[in-house]
Amino acid sequence: MSSNEAISVLRSAGEARAWRATLPADAPVAFIPTMGFLHDGHLSLMAEGRRRVGPKGQVITSIFVNPTQFGPNEDFDRYPRDEAGDLAKAAAAGVDLAFCPSAPSELFPAHSRTWIEVEGLGDALCGRSRPGHFRGVCTVVAKLWGLLRPSIGLFGEKDYQQLAILRRMHADLNLCGEIIGMPIVREPDGLAMSSRNSNLDPSSREAARAIPRFLAEVRARYAAGERAAAGLLADAPARLAPGRIDYVSLVDAADLRPIDVIERPALCALAVYFGGVRLIDNALL
Ligand code: PAF
């Protein structure tokens, strides 16, 4: 273990396991898994973790750009990274410890043969356009969870599908502790905070404001009584222009199956490219 002023840093799976073994099994431990390039959304999860475990509990984060959740033509190489900055931000947010694996092989050694796949929930939305993505997410989160054995793990609702899938995995595998979902944190102009926002050039950043505008309009149409997907999502390409739509969907909020008419809680979810950067967002209806 090394120490970056206020925060301890673990580099190997063995160190992570050994650190956890120094604590009682029922110790209050809040875990915020991240891929780094921390923003206020991550920091809100850390603050909530601290609130829940109290001053004597442990708040821990992992910073790991997980290669197994990126497809071959995706942005693994371009994913923003700033470990020193992240450690400073995490320390300032009161995080006690960061697990920053020194290499992917700490979590995915060459002999590794086990993958976790949650059936069904990954068929629509991001799962359709990013085959294998949730398999990579579930596997890395399960590995981290097994090493760190948190009493709570906190995840943002911007990745609504990820959260739903991880909740299912957590229950199905009888993992310890509890998963907590936290509301989306937005920029002042409404764009959901995301590490990928830093890859937007100024004109794409400006154009990406179309996403929160679109979702606000969907909410307004819903509030005015519209219940049909066709009406809520009508003209999406024009409303999201110049973004290139990956998907804009209305799904059941529980099982994430596409729906034509809202009769139960529903989710309007989208993924849209601006200047080559894929952004996701959603609104619960
Ligand atoms: O949401 C993320 O940042 C990642 O998918 C996660 C949960 C840290 C797994 O790599």
Side-chain angles (χ1 to χ4, degrees), residues 33-35 66 69 137 140-141 155 159 162:
T34 81
M35 297 206 300
N66 169 29
Q69 67 187 74
V137 170
V140 80
V141 171
F155 297 84
D159 297 285
Q162 166 174 283

Side-chain angles (χ1 to χ4, degrees), residues 124-125 128 222 226-233 248-269 283-285:
L125 310 179
R128 189 182 293 274
Y222 178 78
E226 179 63 85
R227 294 293 180 268
L232 291 164
L233 310 182
V248 178
S249 303
L250 191 69
V251 296
D252 183 294
D255 63 19
L256 305 185
R257 284 183 210 282
I259 50 177
D260 293 328
V261 179
I262 300 181
E263 285 162 350
R264 292 181 297 284
L267 182 80
C268 172
L284 269 170
L285 302 169

Side-chain angles (χ1 to χ4, degrees), residues 28-93:
V29 175
F31 176 41
I32 299 94
T34 81
M35 297 206 300
F37 218 76
L38 302 183
H39 51 67
D40 284 354
H42 296 115
L43 302 183
S44 76
L45 303 180
M46 292 167 181
E48 178 65 10
R50 172 58 69 205
R51 196 186 69 75
R52 288 184 182 243
V53 298
K56 294 202 173 118
Q58 297 285 317
V59 179
I60 62 176
T61 189
S62 57
I63 299 175
F64 178 62
V65 185
N66 169 29
T68 71
Q69 67 187 74
F70 290 81
N73 299 316
E74 293 186 351
D75 59 350
F76 175 72
D77 291 331
R78 279 180 291 123
Y79 199 85
R81 292 162 169 86
D82 175 17
E83 189 187 278
D86 288 342
L87 291 176
K89 284 181 195 165

